[in-house]
PDB file of all heavy atoms in Angstrom:
ATOM      1  N   VAL A 156       8.336   6.653   5.521  1.00 96.00           N
ATOM      2  CA  VAL A 156       7.568   5.572   4.896  1.00 96.00           C
ATOM      3  C   VAL A 156       8.536   4.410   4.673  1.00 96.00           C
ATOM      4  O   VAL A 156       9.579   4.585   4.034  1.00 96.00           O
ATOM      5  CB  VAL A 156       6.943   6.040   3.555  1.00 96.00           C
ATOM      6  CG1 VAL A 156       6.327   4.880   2.792  1.00 96.00           C
ATOM      7  CG2 VAL A 156       5.910   7.126   3.831  1.00 96.00           C
ATOM      8  N   PRO A 157       8.239   3.223   5.245  1.00 93.00           N
ATOM      9  CA  PRO A 157       9.195   2.115   5.161  1.00 93.00           C
ATOM     10  C   PRO A 157       9.637   1.852   3.718  1.00 93.00           C
ATOM     11  O   PRO A 157       8.811   1.789   2.816  1.00 93.00           O
ATOM     12  CB  PRO A 157       8.397   0.924   5.721  1.00 93.00           C
ATOM     13  CG  PRO A 157       7.373   1.548   6.621  1.00 93.00           C
ATOM     14  CD  PRO A 157       7.023   2.870   5.993  1.00 93.00           C
ATOM     15  N   GLY A 158      10.973   1.759   3.530  1.00 93.00           N
ATOM     16  CA  GLY A 158      11.526   1.448   2.212  1.00 93.00           C
ATOM     17  C   GLY A 158      11.946   2.667   1.421  1.00 93.00           C
ATOM     18  O   GLY A 158      12.782   2.571   0.521  1.00 93.00           O
ATOM     19  N   VAL A 159      11.427   3.847   1.754  1.00 94.00           N
ATOM     20  CA  VAL A 159      11.732   5.028   0.935  1.00 94.00           C
ATOM     21  C   VAL A 159      13.209   5.433   1.062  1.00 94.00           C
ATOM     22  O   VAL A 159      13.856   5.759   0.066  1.00 94.00           O
ATOM     23  CB  VAL A 159      10.791   6.215   1.276  1.00 94.00           C
ATOM     24  CG1 VAL A 159      11.304   7.519   0.685  1.00 94.00           C
ATOM     25  CG2 VAL A 159       9.389   5.916   0.769  1.00 94.00           C
ATOM     26  N   LEU A 160      13.761   5.364   2.275  1.00 93.00           N
ATOM     27  CA  LEU A 160      15.166   5.770   2.427  1.00 93.00           C
ATOM     28  C   LEU A 160      16.151   4.696   1.977  1.00 93.00           C
ATOM     29  O   LEU A 160      17.300   5.005   1.712  1.00 93.00           O
ATOM     30  CB  LEU A 160      15.458   6.157   3.882  1.00 93.00           C
ATOM     31  CG  LEU A 160      15.041   7.559   4.298  1.00 93.00           C
ATOM     32  CD1 LEU A 160      15.524   7.851   5.706  1.00 93.00           C
ATOM     33  CD2 LEU A 160      15.560   8.620   3.348  1.00 93.00           C
ATOM     34  N   GLY A 161      15.749   3.463   1.914  1.00 80.00           N
ATOM     35  CA  GLY A 161      16.679   2.412   1.493  1.00 80.00           C
ATOM     36  C   GLY A 161      17.655   2.073   2.597  1.00 80.00           C
ATOM     37  O   GLY A 161      17.695   2.723   3.640  1.00 80.00           O
ATOM     38  N   ASN A 162      18.482   1.052   2.343  1.00 67.00           N
ATOM     39  CA  ASN A 162      19.393   0.576   3.384  1.00 67.00           C
ATOM     40  C   ASN A 162      20.534   1.524   3.667  1.00 67.00           C
ATOM     41  O   ASN A 162      21.018   1.635   4.775  1.00 67.00           O
ATOM     42  CB  ASN A 162      19.990  -0.787   2.998  1.00 67.00           C
ATOM     43  CG  ASN A 162      18.927  -1.857   3.079  1.00 67.00           C
ATOM     44  OD1 ASN A 162      17.941  -1.684   3.789  1.00 67.00           O
ATOM     45  ND2 ASN A 162      19.116  -2.934   2.341  1.00 67.00           N
ATOM     46  N   ALA A 163      20.995   2.221   2.610  1.00 56.00           N
ATOM     47  CA  ALA A 163      22.184   3.050   2.758  1.00 56.00           C
ATOM     48  C   ALA A 163      21.922   4.254   3.656  1.00 56.00           C
ATOM     49  O   ALA A 163      22.813   4.786   4.284  1.00 56.00           O
ATOM     50  CB  ALA A 163      22.657   3.512   1.393  1.00 56.00           C
ATOM     51  N   GLN A 164      20.659   4.693   3.705  1.00 66.00           N
ATOM     52  CA  GLN A 164      20.329   5.845   4.531  1.00 66.00           C
ATOM     53  C   GLN A 164      19.345   5.393   5.592  1.00 66.00           C
ATOM     54  O   GLN A 164      18.597   4.454   5.379  1.00 66.00           O
ATOM     55  CB  GLN A 164      19.631   6.919   3.701  1.00 66.00           C
ATOM     56  CG  GLN A 164      20.527   7.639   2.746  1.00 66.00           C
ATOM     57  CD  GLN A 164      19.660   8.460   1.799  1.00 66.00           C
ATOM     58  OE1 GLN A 164      18.929   7.907   1.002  1.00 66.00           O
ATOM     59  NE2 GLN A 164      19.758   9.750   1.917  1.00 66.00           N
ATOM     60  N   SER A 165      19.370   6.098   6.694  1.00 75.00           N
ATOM     61  CA  SER A 165      18.395   5.763   7.715  1.00 75.00           C
ATOM     62  C   SER A 165      18.079   7.023   8.487  1.00 75.00           C
ATOM     63  O   SER A 165      18.931   7.893   8.657  1.00 75.00           O
ATOM     64  CB  SER A 165      19.006   4.709   8.629  1.00 75.00           C
ATOM     65  OG  SER A 165      18.406   4.781   9.877  1.00 75.00           O
ATOM     66  N   ALA A 166      16.822   7.116   8.910  1.00 83.00           N
ATOM     67  CA  ALA A 166      16.434   8.302   9.682  1.00 83.00           C
ATOM     68  C   ALA A 166      16.817   8.144  11.141  1.00 83.00           C
ATOM     69  O   ALA A 166      16.766   9.092  11.903  1.00 83.00           O
ATOM     70  CB  ALA A 166      14.933   8.531   9.542  1.00 83.00           C
ATOM     71  N   SER A 167      17.257   6.923  11.545  1.00 83.00           N
ATOM     72  CA  SER A 167      17.378   6.650  12.971  1.00 83.00           C
ATOM     73  C   SER A 167      18.501   7.432  13.658  1.00 83.00           C
ATOM     74  O   SER A 167      18.453   7.617  14.865  1.00 83.00           O
ATOM     75  CB  SER A 167      17.558   5.161  13.212  1.00 83.00           C
ATOM     76  OG  SER A 167      18.769   4.762  12.641  1.00 83.00           O
ATOM     77  N   ALA A 168      19.523   7.878  12.910  1.00 83.00           N
ATOM     78  CA  ALA A 168      20.598   8.641  13.545  1.00 83.00           C
ATOM     79  C   ALA A 168      20.458  10.142  13.294  1.00 83.00           C
ATOM     80  O   ALA A 168      21.338  10.918  13.651  1.00 83.00           O
ATOM     81  CB  ALA A 168      21.948   8.156  13.027  1.00 83.00           C
ATOM     82  N   ASP A 169      19.370  10.534  12.667  1.00 92.00           N
ATOM     83  CA  ASP A 169      19.193  11.947  12.342  1.00 92.00           C
ATOM     84  C   ASP A 169      18.829  12.760  13.585  1.00 92.00           C
ATOM     85  O   ASP A 169      18.391  12.214  14.597  1.00 92.00           O
ATOM     86  CB  ASP A 169      18.053  12.119  11.325  1.00 92.00           C
ATOM     87  CG  ASP A 169      18.496  11.779   9.908  1.00 92.00           C
ATOM     88  OD1 ASP A 169      19.703  11.808   9.640  1.00 92.00           O
ATOM     89  OD2 ASP A 169      17.614  11.494   9.082  1.00 92.00           O
ATOM     90  N   SER A 170      18.950  14.066  13.422  1.00 95.00           N
ATOM     91  CA  SER A 170      18.507  14.984  14.475  1.00 95.00           C
ATOM     92  C   SER A 170      17.049  14.720  14.814  1.00 95.00           C
ATOM     93  O   SER A 170      16.263  14.329  13.942  1.00 95.00           O
ATOM     94  CB  SER A 170      18.635  16.434  13.991  1.00 95.00           C
ATOM     95  OG  SER A 170      19.975  16.780  13.838  1.00 95.00           O
ATOM     96  N   PHE A 171      16.716  14.913  16.070  1.00 95.00           N
ATOM     97  CA  PHE A 171      15.356  14.810  16.647  1.00 95.00           C
ATOM     98  C   PHE A 171      14.919  13.385  16.934  1.00 95.00           C
ATOM     99  O   PHE A 171      13.953  13.185  17.668  1.00 95.00           O
ATOM    100  CB  PHE A 171      14.271  15.491  15.770  1.00 95.00           C
ATOM    101  CG  PHE A 171      14.636  16.871  15.323  1.00 95.00           C
ATOM    102  CD1 PHE A 171      14.826  17.170  13.987  1.00 95.00           C
ATOM    103  CD2 PHE A 171      14.817  17.878  16.263  1.00 95.00           C
ATOM    104  CE1 PHE A 171      15.192  18.445  13.595  1.00 95.00           C
ATOM    105  CE2 PHE A 171      15.176  19.161  15.871  1.00 95.00           C
ATOM    106  CZ  PHE A 171      15.365  19.435  14.532  1.00 95.00           C
ATOM    107  N   GLU A 172      15.617  12.373  16.364  1.00 92.00           N
ATOM    108  CA  GLU A 172      15.163  10.997  16.553  1.00 92.00           C
ATOM    109  C   GLU A 172      15.167  10.613  18.021  1.00 92.00           C
ATOM    110  O   GLU A 172      14.271   9.940  18.490  1.00 92.00           O
ATOM    111  CB  GLU A 172      16.047  10.032  15.747  1.00 92.00           C
ATOM    112  CG  GLU A 172      15.512   9.752  14.380  1.00 92.00           C
ATOM    113  CD  GLU A 172      14.096   9.194  14.413  1.00 92.00           C
ATOM    114  OE1 GLU A 172      13.947   8.020  14.767  1.00 92.00           O
ATOM    115  OE2 GLU A 172      13.152   9.923  14.101  1.00 92.00           O
ATOM    116  N   ASP A 173      16.251  10.995  18.737  1.00 92.00           N
ATOM    117  CA  ASP A 173      16.263  10.731  20.175  1.00 92.00           C
ATOM    118  C   ASP A 173      16.034  12.023  20.951  1.00 92.00           C
ATOM    119  O   ASP A 173      16.382  12.135  22.115  1.00 92.00           O
ATOM    120  CB  ASP A 173      17.584  10.065  20.586  1.00 92.00           C
ATOM    121  CG  ASP A 173      18.790  10.879  20.144  1.00 92.00           C
ATOM    122  OD1 ASP A 173      18.586  11.984  19.605  1.00 92.00           O
ATOM    123  OD2 ASP A 173      19.926  10.429  20.332  1.00 92.00           O
ATOM    124  N   GLY A 174      15.463  13.011  20.277  1.00 95.00           N
ATOM    125  CA  GLY A 174      15.145  14.285  20.928  1.00 95.00           C
ATOM    126  C   GLY A 174      16.304  15.277  20.894  1.00 95.00           C
ATOM    127  O   GLY A 174      16.140  16.423  21.307  1.00 95.00           O
ATOM    128  N   LEU A 175      17.480  14.829  20.407  1.00 97.00           N
ATOM    129  CA  LEU A 175      18.666  15.696  20.387  1.00 97.00           C
ATOM    130  C   LEU A 175      19.041  16.026  18.943  1.00 97.00           C
ATOM    131  O   LEU A 175      18.601  15.340  18.010  1.00 97.00           O
ATOM    132  CB  LEU A 175      19.857  14.970  21.028  1.00 97.00           C
ATOM    133  CG  LEU A 175      19.708  14.573  22.496  1.00 97.00           C
ATOM    134  CD1 LEU A 175      20.847  13.623  22.903  1.00 97.00           C
ATOM    135  CD2 LEU A 175      19.705  15.816  23.389  1.00 97.00           C
ATOM    136  N   LEU A 176      19.911  17.025  18.769  1.00 97.00           N
ATOM    137  CA  LEU A 176      20.469  17.269  17.435  1.00 97.00           C
ATOM    138  C   LEU A 176      21.528  16.213  17.159  1.00 97.00           C
ATOM    139  O   LEU A 176      22.111  15.636  18.086  1.00 97.00           O
ATOM    140  CB  LEU A 176      21.092  18.670  17.362  1.00 97.00           C
ATOM    141  CG  LEU A 176      20.136  19.835  17.656  1.00 97.00           C
ATOM    142  CD1 LEU A 176      20.868  21.172  17.539  1.00 97.00           C
ATOM    143  CD2 LEU A 176      18.934  19.804  16.714  1.00 97.00           C
ATOM    144  N   GLU A 177      21.795  15.986  15.891  1.00 96.00           N
ATOM    145  CA  GLU A 177      22.803  14.999  15.494  1.00 96.00           C
ATOM    146  C   GLU A 177      24.201  15.504  15.891  1.00 96.00           C
ATOM    147  O   GLU A 177      24.442  16.721  15.895  1.00 96.00           O
ATOM    148  CB  GLU A 177      22.728  14.845  13.967  1.00 96.00           C
ATOM    149  CG  GLU A 177      23.610  13.767  13.398  1.00 96.00           C
ATOM    150  CD  GLU A 177      23.599  13.822  11.869  1.00 96.00           C
ATOM    151  OE1 GLU A 177      23.937  14.876  11.311  1.00 96.00           O
ATOM    152  OE2 GLU A 177      23.268  12.818  11.254  1.00 96.00           O
TER     153      GLU A 177
END
Side-chain angles (χ1 to χ4, degrees):
V156 171
V159 166
L160 279 186
N162 289 337
Q164 288 169 293
S165 154
S167 64
D169 282 339
S170 292
F171 312 115
E172 268 303 286
D173 54 5
L175 298 169
L176 301 181
E177 186 187 57

